[in-house]
Amino acid sequence: MALDLSLSRRSFLVLAGALPFALRANAAAKVPVGVELYTVRDQLTRDLPATVTAVAKMGYEVVEFYSPYFEWTPEKAKEVRKLLDDLGVKCRSTHNSATAIAPENISKAVELNQIIGSQYVIVASAGRITGIDGWKGLGDRLSAAADKLKSSGMATGYHNHQTEWMPVEGQRPMDVLAASTTKDVVLQLDVGTCIEAGSDPVAWITSHPGRIKSVHCKDWAPGEGRGYSVLFGEGVAPWQKIFAAAESVGGVEYYLIEQEEGPAAEQLQRAERCLANYRKLRA
């Protein structure tokens, strides 16, 4: 018996209307969510294994270690890698000062990052920069580091704060860095600081296709007592538009929730609440 494979116009429209939601859910499922471990810094300093275990049990799939990791020995890094493997958690990138990509330090950066499984050595502190020429010089250093890292299957990148969005000599340093670096240099977007400085994170993502490999999902809200103390999803960031841009053109590979402020004793609880808010937004 022949099957009738035709669709009524109404059925077709219903399926077509559902498609964007299905695609969005599929994209959300594919992009892992992690935590910048500065979020739980006090607990991490006291007991790294217990803290990483706690965020893994919450459901975070990725972690990003910040600058103190650079003082680890290779043996310590191997211990951390075993912990990550046992928990089923990955470290995709690290948060560094600019000294990590200096010629005298980059070999150490490669060794430690490779041991823990990190592909991206992200610079999150420019140091003292003077004028636009200084920012161009930083761009040159980032490009040089990216070239050295390429043979190891790695890359570097830059993480913005408020400063990079504030005009210097009529230009935003972030625009200068993007223009003066090769496309191998990742532009890790910190959403909260971008918004506080009055810039548009969605416009930034769409203007730099393929370079937004990771996003720091940090929220911000105006008003006394708010700022960066608001939890992810409870500030003014347009998260749905950010996710759509990051996944359609930005080239995002993973998200990193970051909770910058709040009582030290509540860091783990706030990290868990941020993740719950993320899941609601992505449902």
Side-chain angles (χ1 to χ4, degrees), residues 81-105:
R81 176 60 183 272
K82 184 179 186 305
L83 173 67
L84 297 175
D85 289 346
D86 289 346
L87 293 169
V89 172
K90 296 187 180 299
C91 176
R92 301 290 304 276
S93 55
T94 54
H95 217 52
N96 302 267
S97 72
T99 58
I101 62 166
E104 65 272 20
N105 293 324

Side-chain angles (χ1 to χ4, degrees), residues 125-238:
S125 175
R128 185 176 178 82
I129 301 289
T130 303
I132 285 300
D133 285 343
W135 289 103
K136 290 179 179 177
L138 175 60
D140 291 340
R141 295 198 297 277
L142 287 165
S143 293
D147 189 56
K148 290 181 180 178
L149 290 166
K150 190 179 295 186
S151 62
S152 301
M154 299 172 65
T156 189
Y158 192 79
H159 172 99
N160 67 267
H161 290 95
Q162 297 92 330
T163 300
E164 290 82 6
W165 303 107
M166 309 308 293
V168 175
E169 300 172 19
Q171 299 181 67
R172 296 189 308 182
M174 276 308 295
D175 293 321
V176 173
L177 285 174
S180 63
T181 52
T182 65
K183 294 191 181 299
D184 292 327
V185 176
V186 173
L187 302 174
Q188 186 185 71
L189 175 62
D190 183 314
V191 173
T193 55
C194 176
I195 289 177
E196 185 191 18
S199 291
D200 182 346
V202 177
W204 176 255
I205 293 169
T206 56
S207 297
H208 300 88
R211 298 189 68 181
I212 317 297
K213 302 296 186 185
S214 56
V215 175
H216 268 224
C217 297
K218 179 168 67 184
D219 224 324
W220 179 84
E224 185 176 352
R226 302 195 75 196
Y228 294 110
S229 66
V230 297
L231 297 177
F232 167 81
E234 299 179 10
V236 298

Side-chain angles (χ1 to χ4, degrees), residues 50-62:
T51 304
V52 174
T53 299
V55 297
K57 287 182 177 179
M58 291 175 196
Y60 283 108
E61 304 162 85
V62 179

Side-chain angles (χ1 to χ4, degrees), residues 66-72 95:
Y66 59 102
S67 51
Y69 91 92
F70 207 73
E71 301 305 317
W72 294 349
H95 217 52

